[in-house]
Amino acid sequence: VSGNLRPCISYFLSLGILLRTLSSSIITPESSGAAFPSDLLSRKAMITPEHTPGLYQDLVIPLTNFLKEDKGFMVLAGDVFDVPIRKDIVHKVVRWQLAKQQQGTHSTKTISEVSGTGRKPWKQKGTGLARHGTLRGPQFRHGATMHGPKPRSHAFKLNKKVRRLGLKIALSARTAEGKASLSLSLSHGLLVFEDLEVPSHKTKNIVNYVKEMENTKKVLLVDGGPINEKLKAVCGGLNVYSILLHDTLMMSRDAVNRIVERMHTPINR
């Protein structure tokens, strides 16, 4: 490498390390300081080239709040929000999650649990009738149920890596739905808020905000910090089934950082 190219190569290497450290962090002209040129940042919605999902690329998404204020941009980690979509993994995780939620309280009575006498109904021989030792058998009315269901757990084991991958795929799917429009009027996919602070405790404020979003029927709010007393509709535990059940996912900046931190934590065996 010639001497003239060495400074350029070192500059691009340092710039790549800097951009990697900004993953899942907020970028604003005020917070950039000397680490990033402020003239390269804008508060307007960015127009980016068409992105192909599943390339593990870091994504830039605008920040907003319930007052529709522009709060800058945030970089989403590509290994969490831009993984390849695999329907088989999502299917396994959803089945595992629903199986754990199934109560399994169905129960039938065996012959020892059915109420009734234990006396032999008639003598063994001489009546012309079939031989019976009890009237609590399954062949009689109000009798027992043989081999019927009893209370049990329907849960089954699923590898932690598969469960974690399923959550990444669900987040990537919601992020990919909004890849064509990074404006604050996004109606489907993922919305990242600076915080989930609401101006008042009135539910109609949030309802009115959701109604302004086109073709939005179900919205899932996820916060990473303590639950706001004014915010009533907050999902406490993020999971694959809840993400797929709602067409729009609203997350606070703190929630995104917590999820990325959790996804980067090594799995305990």
Side-chain angles (χ1 to χ4, degrees):
V1 180
S2 63
N4 296 331
L5 293 179
R6 251 187 215 122
C8 297
I9 294 177
S10 60
Y11 171 75
F12 284 114
L13 289 177
S14 60
L15 181 59
I17 297 175
L18 172 62
L19 292 178
R20 193 60 187 171
T21 57
L22 292 175
S23 177
S24 301
S25 60
I26 183 174
I27 301 178
T28 60
E30 292 79 5
S31 62
S32 61
F36 200 88
S38 59
D39 56 343
L40 297 181
L41 299 176
S42 173
R43 289 188 173 275
K44 297 181 180 180
M46 297 195 320
I47 301 177
T48 59
E50 186 68 18
H51 170 69
T52 302
L55 299 180
Y56 300 96
Q57 295 180 355
D58 293 347
L59 307 175
V60 179
I61 190 170
L63 286 174
T64 183
N65 56 15
F66 285 108
L67 299 178
K68 297 183 179 180
E69 297 175 349
D70 191 356
K71 295 294 184 178
F73 297 93
M74 185 175 188
V75 180
L76 302 180
D79 56 351
V80 178
F81 292 90
D82 191 33
V83 302
I85 306 299
R86 290 186 54 183
K87 296 182 179 179
D88 58 325
I89 298 296
V90 176
H91 179 260
K92 290 181 181 180
V93 177
V94 170
R95 284 189 61 248
W96 166 79
Q97 185 177 341
L98 295 181
K100 288 188 62 179
Q101 295 178 358
Q102 189 170 351
Q103 293 183 354
T105 55
H106 43 15
S107 179
T108 56
K109 291 184 178 182
T110 63
I111 195 170
S112 62
E113 297 171 337
V114 174
S115 61
T117 179
R119 182 179 62 86
K120 187 176 177 65
W122 48 77
K123 62 181 183 179
Q124 185 80 352
K125 295 179 179 293
T127 61
L129 302 176
R131 299 169 291 184
H132 292 290
T134 178
L135 292 177
R136 296 183 295 173
Q139 69 272 30
F140 293 106
R141 186 168 179 264
H142 301 304
T145 300
M146 303 304 297
H147 308 292
K150 302 297 290 184
R152 68 180 181 91
S153 173
H154 293 267
F156 58 89
K157 293 183 179 181
L158 187 64
N159 195 296
K160 290 183 179 180
K161 289 185 178 180
V162 179
R163 287 148 50 183
R164 177 173 291 188
L165 180 59
L167 183 57
K168 292 181 179 180
I169 294 174
L171 292 173
S172 300
R174 283 293 172 262
T175 305
E177 288 181 357
K179 69 180 184 301
S181 173
L182 289 179
S183 63
L184 300 181
S185 61
L186 178 66
S187 60
H188 284 79
L190 175 65
L191 281 176
V192 180
F193 282 34
E194 170 66 19
D195 52 57
L196 294 181
E197 294 291 337
V198 291
S200 68
H201 65 284
K202 297 294 184 180
T203 308
K204 65 179 182 180
N205 295 331
I206 301 179
V207 174
N208 293 334
Y209 180 86
V210 174
K211 285 184 177 179
E212 295 179 0
M213 303 167 60
E214 299 178 358
N215 302 325
T216 298
K217 297 181 179 180
K218 293 184 177 181
V219 178
L220 177 63
L221 301 180
V222 183
D223 197 1
I227 298 178
N228 189 346
E229 295 296 334
K230 296 181 181 179
L231 193 60
K232 303 301 180 182
V234 173
C235 177
L238 189 63
N239 55 78
V240 176
Y241 185 69
S242 296
I243 295 176
L244 300 180
L245 198 62
H246 299 78
D247 49 21
T248 302
L249 179 61
M250 292 184 180
M251 302 178 62
S252 66
R253 179 172 58 90
D254 188 32
V256 173
N257 291 331
R258 287 176 179 267
I259 291 174
V260 173
E261 181 181 0
R262 180 64 181 271
M263 292 297 102
H264 291 168
T265 303
I267 297 177
N268 295 327
R269 295 294 182 181

